Structure formats: C-alpha cells, structure tokens
Amino acid sequence: MAIASREFNELRLDEVSRKFGNLNALNGVNLTIRRGEFIALLGPSGCGKSTALNCLAGLLQLTSGSIWLDDKRIDLLRPEERSFGMVFQNYALFPHMNVRKNIGFGLKMKGETKANTERKIDEALALVRLGAQGEKLPGQLSGGQQQRVAIARAIAIEPPLVLMDEPLSNLDAKLRLEMRAEIRRIHTMLGATTIYVTHDQDEALSLADRIVVMSDGQVRQVGTPEELYARPSRADVAEFMGYRNLIRATASARPDGQMAIMVGGTPVTGHAINVVAGAPAVAAIRPDDLSPHPEGAIIATVESAEYRGRDFYGIAKMESGQELYFRSEDKVSQGETLKLGADPRRVLIYAETAA
Amino acid sequence: MNALTDTFEDGRRAASTQKRPLRMRLAQRGFDGVTLLMLPAVLFVILLFVYPFMYGLFLSFEPKKMATEGIFANYITFFNDPFLFDTIWKTLRLAVPVSILNVALSIPIAMRVRLMRRQRLLTTILVIPITLGTVLIAEGLLNYLGPQGWLNRTLITFHLIDGPIRLVHNYAGVFLSLLISGFPFTFLLTLSYVTGIDPSLEQAASTLGANARARFRYVILPLLAQGLAIAFCLTFVQMFSVFPSAVLLGEPAGSTRVISIAAYVAAFEEYDYSMASAIAMIMGFVQLLIVVLILASRHIFYRGPAGGAKG
C-alpha cells in the first residue's frame, strides 16, 4: 500500500496562534514539513504540542495565522474536508464496530467501492499484523492491539498526513518499545508524512527524522535527533533533552576559546553556545557526563544513590544547596563528599535567559 | 515417634477445619451489618408496592357478579364494552406519540447543550416544569391556549386566523401539556446518555471524512440507541398514567377518556373497587407489554460502554 493519492511537497504553518481565553496555547508557530518526513513535536505537558496537532487536524480553529499544503490553504477547511489520518491518545475506536468496520469507516465515508474497501482493509490489517482479529470488537482487544487498529484506521484512507497524539502513553513499558519499533517500520514502509506528538524524549529521538521542541506555545528548536541531543540551542531545551544539571554562574572566557563558569572558586569549562564573557550563564550537564574525578571542580555531598546495573546514579548536594544528578562507576554512599567533574566537550554553556 | 507426629498433625488438622464464627461465614457470603441497611427499603417495597399490588390483583378476581359470571367477570366486561376497552387505545394514542416526540426533541437539544459552558443554568430552566406539577401547567395552558387566551388573541389581532383555534378541551390540549411536563425528564435522561459518549469518537469520525450527518448516523446514534430506548420506556410509563391533564385540558368523556379515568370512575363513581382493580391490572399489563417489547428489541443495538475503549 503506497501513499499515491494527494501527494504534496510541503506543509507550512505560518504564524499559527491559538488562544484559550487569555492563555496563548500556540503563539506564532512557523514550521515547514517536507513530504515523507517523520516529525516529532516534543515538549512538556501544556507546551501546546497537542493544540498544534488538533489545529492541523482541524479539530481546533486557529485564532490567527494560516496552514498551507503547498499552495492550498487548509486551515479554514473542516476536519472531514482535510481527512488527515489521526491516531488518538485513547485510540477513539468506535466501540460498536468490529475491527474491519473501524478500519473501513474512512473508506466508506470516501465512497470507496465495496471490493476496494475490503482489499484496503485486508492490506491495513496485514500491515499492522492483526490479520486474524478482523471480526472482534475493540473491547475484546488488548491495549496494544487497539493501538494497532487505531493506526490501521488512520492509514487505511491513505492520508497525505498522519497525525499521532501521544499514541504510546497508555501502554506499559515493554509494549511501548514494541509499538515504537512498529510505528517506525510502518512509516518506513508507507513513507507517509507523520507528525507525532510526545513528551518522551526517547520516543522522539528514536522515531523522528526531525524533532520540534516546544515550550509555552512556541517552537524553541527544530533539528535532527543528533543535533538536539548534542547541541540544544537553549538552556530550557537542553533541560528537556536530558541535561538535568543546570548550574547558574557568571561566564568567563578561557584562553583556549572555551568558556567557563565559576563554581565555588573553581572553573567548570564547557562549550559556549550563545554566551559572552562576564554575563550570567547556565552550564548544562547530563547526569551521565557528571562523575567523580580527582580533579573535579564541583564539591558535593551524596544525598542518595541507587545501583542501576552497570553504574550507580545518585543525587549530590553542592554547598549552595543545589542538587546535582551524577553517575559513578564505583559505589558511593550517603554523606560521602565527592569531587565531580565533566569532560569540557560535554558541558554546554548558555546565556541566562530572562525566562 | 511416629505416633507423636500423627497426634500433632491430627491436632493441626482439627484446628484448621474447626468452624469459624457465624458472623465471619455470613460476611463471606455478603451478609454483614451493612446488609441490614437494606431493611427499610425492603419493608417499604413490600408494604407499599407488593402488598397493594397483590391485594388489587386478588380483588380484581372477586367481581360483584362473581356468582353469575365467575371470577373473570370484570375482565370479560372490560374487553366487551367498547367504552372501557377503547380507553387503552385512547391512552396509547396520547402516550406513544408524546414519548416519541419528547425523545426526538431531546436528542438535538442535548447534543447542543453538551457543548455549552453554562449547562447548569439551562438545565435548571428546563427542570422547572417538573417542579411545577401537571395541574399548574394545565391551568397555565388553559389560560394561554384557550379561546380568550394570548395565543388566539394575538393570532386574531394579526389577522392570521378568523376565529379562535380550539387547542383546549380536546386531544391537542392534553398532548401539549404532556409534551411540556414530560420533556424535562426525557431531556435530562437523554443528556446523560449523550454526555456519556466520548467526544474523541466524533473527532475521530470527522478526521476520517465523516460530515456531521454521517457522524450522527454511524457513531452517535448507534451508541445512543440503547439509552434512547430506556428514555422512551420511562417517559412512556409516565405518560400512560396521565390523569390530571386529561381531565383538565381534555375531553374526559370523549377523545381523551384515558384508562386512568376509567379506573377512577369505576372506583369512586360506581364504587366497584373490584372493577377498578381489574382496570388497573390491565393498565399495568399494557405498560409492561410495551416496555418489554422495546427492551427485547435492544439486542439489535450495541450494548457496551460508549467510551473509546481503554483510556
């Protein structure tokens, strides 16, 4: 099954805004998505990512701005006129229809012939590997199977765009990994442009071609998973991408072109992203990169530590009272004082933003 | 040594098979102190429903003419006298259309109200007719719809009609009053069923290309059918026992001589309690028949939860 019909080259969001009362759920979002891309909208809850998806589907009206599919304006169309396939967080399967009827619903609405409908239902069922479950009602299926039906239903109509709203958040950890691989596989097979909303950075990193990080209704950074993982452009994006340790201090220049911040009289060196010497700065370090080291600059006392197989992960308190997340290869115990350090290539230093 | 262990084992077995206190055994079967709280309700049902019902049932088999025509005399009279027998038809002619119309009217309104923010305000306004009672509504309608009422006067003033239209003391009057007094109940019931449908189902249908009409027909209506059948049954049972408005707004000797009027006449004008009981039994049977018919046809509808499955 290939996405042959209604192809497009790019989907463009132009200054898209949506207000709920006084709340700006989406604030001037600009984004261009190319055909065949898998885009993840990533952000903490309340950042506007679901609002963006609903606006794309047509379930929410825009307050201002426009959405374009090539040179066709679509934000004024009703959802049924756009017919983008959408996978809902709670699956939203029709409880009174069996699996085949659920999948065939969109085709029936499009007025497909009966033979075509049956063929496409079979193809969709085979694609999500649910061949034998066609006659069951959604209530008789497990969560993972329901998820597959929801995906099959969305792609059966061969939509130009597939929208997924946190589709894995209702599944248990093991099933989530399985379905993640499954979604990736289906995307590779169909090549359908997919927009995937999630708050889980692992999901976004593993699935997406490009990640759009959002907060407060705005796009903060767009980039490939590698770019976002290694070089977040802002401190808040970094925090969301797993840089859990944010140390605030004044920046100072180093002779080797790197930047440093002073922590308790000792410099912590790192890679400067957008900061000038003498300005307030934030150093972002992943827990994995912060470890006990003989020349470590950060003195902290272990608050708690847990063994996670290979290494110990723990929380240590600096003199300032700030808590840091660190990793240690050797056993550490509560109350122990550590010298923590990080490879300067793994430390990112940002300008302190007002927010 | 062996004997000693045996004795020990025997003792343990005896202790474990020893009966636990009666209170615990009862609790395991679901009887405990809380069960006693049901007692007032059970007494209430027995004293105020089961006993009077059985009393009436037996009374209906003790007709005045038992000596000559046997125990079924009342029932024979009822089904042979068109003046009595027709009351079933006349009551059905009021109750069925009013119930259907009430259910039909409450669906679109409930669909709209579901999306409203000030739902409680509107619901309160709609519930007021329930609190007024049928008699007050009947009096109001007499004044409003009567030959000298506002409606006729307004229509005559604007020369829309030449003489007053007759809307009271006939079928139309009773019909309208039942519609008004029954609507809030039907509406609130329907509203609760409509709000029970997960809104994401409609959204899913719309992203799959279903317009409003198709969404209603293929998603909302099948999920609602079950609830609508129950709403119809409960409304119908209320409507079937119409009495005050049939007397006040209708033609109690003619087109709106409903079955409850026949029972009233037998009991309090002819003092034939046995006959009145028989009529009441027939009334109950007709209601039961309609309700059973509707509920039996439910198997053709979907009966599970109206949510988007596991959430």
Side-chain angles (χ1 to χ4, degrees), chain B residues 2 6 9 11 14 37 111 135 143 180 183 208 238 253 256 272 282 290 309:
Chain B
N2 248 345
D6 280 354
E9 285 289 317
L37 294 177
M111 297 280 291
V135 175
N143 285 323
I180 292 167
F183 179 76
L208 290 166
Q238 280 189 343
T256 69
D272 187 347
I282 291 165
I290 300 275

Side-chain angles (χ1 to χ4, degrees), chain A residues 57 59 79-80 83-84 86 88 90-97 105-106 108-109 137-138 141-143 146 153 157 170, chain B residues 198 200-212 214-215 218-220 222-223 302 305-311:
Chain A
L59 300 172
E80 61 262 31
S83 73
F84 296 157
M86 181 149 173
F88 290 78
N90 67 354
Y91 318 142
L93 299 177
F94 306 126
H96 58 297
M97 297 182 196
F105 185 82
K108 182 170 161 187
M109 291 301 118
L137 287 175
L141 301 176
S142 70
Q146 292 186 15
R153 185 178 67 175
I157 55 172
N170 281 339
Chain B
D198 183 352
S200 69
L201 295 180
E202 251 194 292
Q203 296 184 335
S206 71
T207 61
L208 290 166
N211 59 23
R215 293 198 291 271
Y218 295 112
V219 179
I220 305 288
L223 293 175
Y302 166 77
K310 283 172 192 161

